[in-house]
Amino acid sequence: MRAGEIVGERFEIEALAGSGGMGHVYRARDRRTGDTVALKVLRRAGKTELGRFSCEVQALSALRVPGVVRYIDHGVTADGKPYLVMEWLSGETLAERMAERGLTPAESVDVVAQVAGTLGAIHRQGVVHRDLKPSNLLLVEGRLDRVMVLDFGIARFRIDQQITMPGTVLGTPEYMAPEQARGERSVDARADVFALGCVLFKCLTGRAAFQGAGALAVLVKVLLDEPPRLRELRPELSEELDALVARMLAKPPGERPR
């Protein structure tokens, strides 16, 4: 798509902002409001890609939660490609921030507490994210007090909804709960608690809770091994924080905090 092209008789393309495996994201102008928006266009139209795209549209259009990128519109381009329009957000991901200069323990707790509040709100609306990780958390304008949850492409919308077949493993191994790694049918909000524990562990220690030479090795450790305790790696951290992260990373979902 080129600058000046109009999508949906409303959104004027300004520039390509980024590309991923599934499609392109453009900066565009909403001619109805004058606002700058992010326009995501699906590049591949296979069954998997269409399913993920549809899932993200369904989740974002239903959620009106501070801390979740705001849905504006969706449709199909003139050449038959699905698109999704969201509010325009600039900043850096938590992954980029950690790679550049890291976070203090206090900053780590503050960021994760914000995300926990957002997750609580989406869980109450029956949505489970299922792919929470630092690259899906955006620090708006680089601010640690404005954290947005991104990418609902494999979210489970409504607790009783069956989006994937039992036995299908979706997610990112380093942040995947054991029940998710096993492809269980009943993956619920507690999987997001586990993933958030992995995020907090990474923020505090600079390393993943589960490490291995490749995705399969990591999944085996998620299923069978216990991660190091925080205070083994950073003895100066409090016992309360150590205990909290250990509970978040408990393999039985029922042992994790709400």
Side-chain angles (χ1 to χ4, degrees):
M1 304 186 78
R2 292 175 292 186
E5 188 171 344
I6 307 299
V7 176
E9 301 182 349
R10 176 178 174 183
F11 305 101
E12 182 177 349
I13 299 295
E14 294 183 341
L16 177 66
S19 296
M22 287 180 59
H24 304 294
V25 177
Y26 297 89
R27 188 182 72 243
R29 183 176 66 87
D30 185 344
R31 301 204 301 175
R32 185 178 300 173
T33 65
D35 294 338
T36 299
V37 298
L39 192 147
K40 183 176 182 178
V41 180
L42 189 64
R43 183 171 58 189
R44 301 176 183 173
K47 183 178 179 180
T48 299
E49 290 81 9
L50 285 171
R52 288 191 61 167
F53 199 84
S54 175
C55 182
E56 184 167 26
V57 168
Q58 185 181 25
L60 289 183
S61 62
L63 291 172
R64 290 291 187 271
V65 174
V68 173
V69 61
R70 181 171 55 87
Y71 162 90
I72 296 174
D73 196 12
H74 73 279
V76 180
T77 66
D79 57 354
K81 296 178 180 177
Y83 68 84
L84 169 64
V85 185
M86 300 163 284
E87 66 177 316
W88 176 264
L89 297 171
S90 60
E92 61 181 348
T93 67
L94 181 58
E96 291 169 335
R97 175 61 176 265
M98 287 194 289
E100 180 183 343
R101 59 188 183 277
L103 286 80
T104 67
E107 289 172 337
S108 300
V109 171
D110 286 346
V111 166
V112 168
Q114 290 177 66
V115 179
T118 299
L119 289 176
I122 71 171
H123 291 160
R124 285 190 291 273
Q125 295 190 34
V127 176
V128 183
H129 189 280
R130 300 202 300 180
D131 197 20
L132 195 71
K133 55 187 175 182
S135 60
N136 281 341
L137 298 172
L138 182 73
L139 307 177
V140 180
E141 299 174 352
R143 292 168 49 183
L144 294 172
D145 62 345
R146 285 199 65 195
V147 189
M148 304 292 285
V149 179
L150 309 177
D151 195 350
F152 285 74
I154 64 170
R156 189 172 184 181
F157 183 71
R158 303 303 177 200
I159 296 302
D160 59 352
Q161 183 187 31
Q162 185 62 34
I163 293 175
T164 55
M165 292 294 292
T168 301
V169 177
L170 292 175
T172 303
E174 290 84 353
Y175 301 92
M176 193 181 296
E179 63 272 23
Q180 196 171 349
R182 287 190 292 267
E184 292 182 6
R185 180 188 296 268
S186 57
V187 173
D188 58 25
R190 295 172 294 185
D192 284 347
V193 174
F194 187 95
L196 189 59
C198 292
V199 170
L200 181 53
F201 188 100
K202 181 74 176 283
C203 287
L204 291 168
T205 67
R207 53 150 286 181
F210 301 94
Q211 298 185 138
L216 182 59
V218 172
L219 287 176
V220 169
K221 291 197 172 186
V222 168
L223 290 169
L224 302 177
D225 293 355
E226 294 296 330
R229 295 291 294 239
L230 277 184
R231 284 166 57 85
E232 293 175 16
L233 302 174
R234 295 195 61 182
E236 74 276 15
L237 295 176
S238 71
E239 293 182 1
E240 292 83 1
L241 190 55
D242 179 88
L244 172 63
V245 173
R247 288 180 61 210
M248 295 175 78
L249 297 180
K251 297 198 186 301
E255 294 182 9
R256 299 171 201 153
R258 293 179 61 82

